[in-house]
Amino acid sequence: MKESELAIKHNESEIPLEDAELVRKIHEDSLRVLEEVGVKCDSKEVRQIFEETGLAAFDDSTGHIHVLTPLVEQALDTTPKRDRYWIPENSFGVGGTAPFVYDEQIGDLVEPTFDHLARIASIVNEADVINFMARGVLIKNQEVKVMDTIIENCHKPIYVAAVTEAGINRAHEIHETRGEITVQFSLINSPLNIIESMIDPFLSCVRKGIPIYVSTMPMAGLSGPYSMSGLLTLTHAEGLFGITLAQLVNPGIMVVHAGLPSIANIQKNYAVDLGLVSHNIANLIQEKINKMLNIPSIQTACTTSQDMPNKKAEEDAVNGYAMMKKHGFHQMRHSFGFLKELISFSIAKLERHIQICVETSAEQAPSYDIDEPYDTEGFEVIMRNGSKPNYMQDDHTLKNTGKYFLY
């Protein structure tokens, strides 16, 4: 088996999860999505940026921008490659923004404070197994103080949120002085809808040259196709759109692909299920697509769907850590303190799972059986749904229920 291939042994056979052919097909389907389906956008400024290239067009009847493949390829050519990014391969991190802290003393959720944030940052700073720090918890309307608290307590690379003028200016100051900062943006609401409120801060950061990442999180069965390659096709297309926009505005700006494929668990009332082995697999494959393109990549893995720290949460983490160590990756966030649906963050879980990560070996990776790595109907279901989240009722989801995402 070639070194570039990713496979997990199941019984006596090797079930491919990523190989050159699978990765190529998903990438080509994603380019086709941008050309033939397009992305819904009401912003005249963004439409003008694309249309002035002569390689994109706006369809008044659908409200979609259609982007030709040569324009995306041009953007990928100007995007700085992975070796220029400051976070190394195989980096676990604290990322995400939980609105609550799980307080082990009272067994309930509490509102995050700056003391919580400072403690998280200090723990991350001292943990050799963690290579980067994002907020972890949400403290509303305090962008500047959040950034300052993080850098006061953690000297590692950081991810921050900045949508206000003050926040963007502080992020720019940190970029110019301390460095190793990336501003996170959720530019697209899946499927294929630009979030209009994010456009102005996104463009402001890009024009100032602040490194950014473009996040998108389709949920299979809810806002994305209910098959592995179909879900990844949509995720990758949305990520490529954000990268292309950034490179058109400021060619050469550092951009990280933060496509986060996720799964709506039909048995749990369509709640996002981050503890599935399938979730780790989907994010690993997305990372391998980005590796083929040699671009910086951050995904999500090693977390849980438990609402409190327990044995099952630890088992979920071991599965994730082992798979990542076995197959390699660039960056994975949400890997330590997060609980069910990323709603809450447990500092005790953070501390415990740092040790679990250290102790987990690649040999503990679970088996995974996927009968059809590539779904020939993946593009068609994306075309059929367009920018409307009709996947719950789509025949494609109904016939694939019980076939995909069982682990």
Side-chain angles (χ1 to χ4, degrees):
M1 187 178 208
K2 294 181 180 178
E3 218 173 284
S4 62
E5 292 180 349
L6 174 63
I8 287 187
K9 293 183 179 180
H10 183 76
N11 297 326
E12 296 301 318
S13 61
E14 289 190 343
I15 309 301
L17 294 173
E18 178 267 315
D19 56 30
E21 181 68 8
L22 176 63
V23 165
R24 181 188 63 78
K25 284 181 177 179
I26 293 173
H27 179 60
E28 290 178 353
D29 283 352
S30 298
L31 295 172
R32 190 179 172 197
V33 167
L34 293 179
E35 280 200 357
E36 299 184 34
V37 183
V39 176
K40 191 174 188 304
C41 177
D42 295 329
S43 168
K44 293 181 179 180
E45 183 176 11
V46 170
R47 285 155 45 183
Q48 183 177 0
I49 290 168
F50 276 95
E51 289 185 302
E52 284 180 350
T53 66
L55 293 171
F58 181 73
D59 185 342
D60 288 307
S61 66
T62 63
H64 287 201
I65 299 172
H66 295 260
V67 183
L68 296 182
T69 292
L71 186 57
V72 180
E73 292 174 340
Q74 172 187 307
L76 290 171
D77 285 342
T78 59
T79 299
K81 299 304 178 276
R82 194 178 288 205
D83 61 357
R84 288 184 54 193
Y85 197 62
W86 40 88
I87 299 179
E89 297 286 313
N90 302 315
S91 289
F92 293 107
V94 169
T97 314
F100 298 100
V101 168
Y102 180 80
D103 189 321
E104 282 74 18
Q105 298 272 332
I106 63 174
D108 205 350
L109 305 182
V110 298
E111 190 170 338
T113 67
F114 281 102
D115 286 341
H116 290 128
L117 180 61
R119 187 176 171 198
I120 294 168
S122 297
I123 293 169
V124 169
N125 194 56
E126 297 300 319
D128 292 339
V129 76
I130 303 180
N131 285 339
F132 62 88
M133 167 76 191
R135 291 177 291 176
V137 295
L138 174 64
I139 300 178
K140 297 178 182 178
N141 305 316
Q142 295 283 350
E143 286 181 351
V144 173
K145 190 173 179 181
V146 165
M147 292 182 212
D148 290 341
T149 301
I150 293 174
I151 63 175
E152 285 167 10
N153 293 278
C154 183
H155 306 299
K156 297 180 179 181
I158 62 171
Y159 287 92
V160 302
V163 296
T164 65
E165 184 177 358
I168 292 170
N169 288 338
R170 182 62 181 129
H172 187 249
E173 289 174 358
I174 295 171
H175 170 61
E176 293 290 320
T177 55
R178 177 190 186 274
E180 296 190 337
I181 183 174
T182 307
V183 178
Q184 53 201 49
F185 278 100
S186 295
L187 186 64
I188 291 184
N189 185 26
S190 302
L192 300 169
N193 279 273
I194 286 212
I195 302 172
E196 297 297 318
S197 62
M198 288 292 105
I199 291 174
D200 286 346
F202 178 86
L203 294 178
S204 177
C205 281
V206 170
R207 286 170 175 146
K208 290 178 185 292
I210 307 170
I212 61 166
Y213 83 17
V214 285
S215 178
T216 174
M217 191 175 174
M219 293 175 62
L222 189 63
S223 56
Y226 203 74
S227 66
M228 186 67 77
S229 66
L231 171 64
L232 287 161
T233 295
L234 179 61
T235 305
H236 189 48
E238 293 178 343
L240 289 176
F241 182 88
I243 291 172
T244 303
L245 176 58
Q247 293 303 318
L248 290 178
V249 174
N250 189 351
I253 188 173
M254 179 64 74
V255 186
V256 181
H257 189 308
L260 312 178
S262 61
I263 300 154
N265 193 323
I266 295 173
Q267 295 178 332
K268 297 181 180 179
N269 198 28
Y270 287 89
V272 60
D273 196 335
L274 305 176
L276 292 173
V277 171
S278 305
H279 175 82
N280 294 320
I281 291 294
N283 282 270
L284 261 176
I285 298 176
Q286 178 62 69
E287 194 283 328
K288 298 304 175 185
I289 298 167
N290 297 340
K291 185 173 184 178
M292 177 192 71
L293 300 173
N294 194 22
I295 57 176
S297 181
I298 184 170
Q299 277 64 54
T300 175
C302 314
T303 188
T304 187
S305 290
Q306 300 298 295
D307 56 10
M308 65 181 66
N310 56 30
K311 183 178 180 181
K312 180 64 168 64
E314 293 187 3
E315 291 172 354
D316 291 341
V318 168
N319 284 337
Y321 297 143
M323 292 178 73
M324 299 306 122
K325 291 182 179 184
K326 182 174 182 178
H327 302 294
F329 61 101
H330 189 189
Q331 305 167 79
M332 290 292 170
R333 59 188 182 128
H334 303 130
S335 298
F336 296 94
F338 284 90
L339 292 165
K340 182 179 179 181
E341 298 178 31
L342 309 181
I343 296 299
S344 61
F345 190 99
S346 165
I347 294 176
K349 181 175 183 285
L350 166 64
E351 293 176 314
R352 169 67 180 136
H353 284 231
I354 288 171
Q355 188 60 34
I356 291 174
C357 185
V358 171
E359 295 170 352
T360 300
S361 68
E363 287 71 30
Q364 293 171 262
S367 295
Y368 183 87
D369 186 2
I370 179 168
D371 292 332
E372 298 179 33
Y374 180 74
D375 175 19
T376 57
E377 299 178 6
F379 174 80
E380 283 71 19
V381 70
I382 294 171
M383 172 69 86
R384 188 159 61 242
N385 286 273
S387 58
K388 297 179 181 179
N390 294 325
Y391 289 95
M392 286 178 67
Q393 289 81 32
D394 197 283
D395 287 342
H396 180 267
T397 299
L398 298 177
K399 77 176 184 179
N400 282 337
T401 301
K403 177 181 177 182
Y404 286 97
F405 309 124
L406 303 179
Y407 298 87

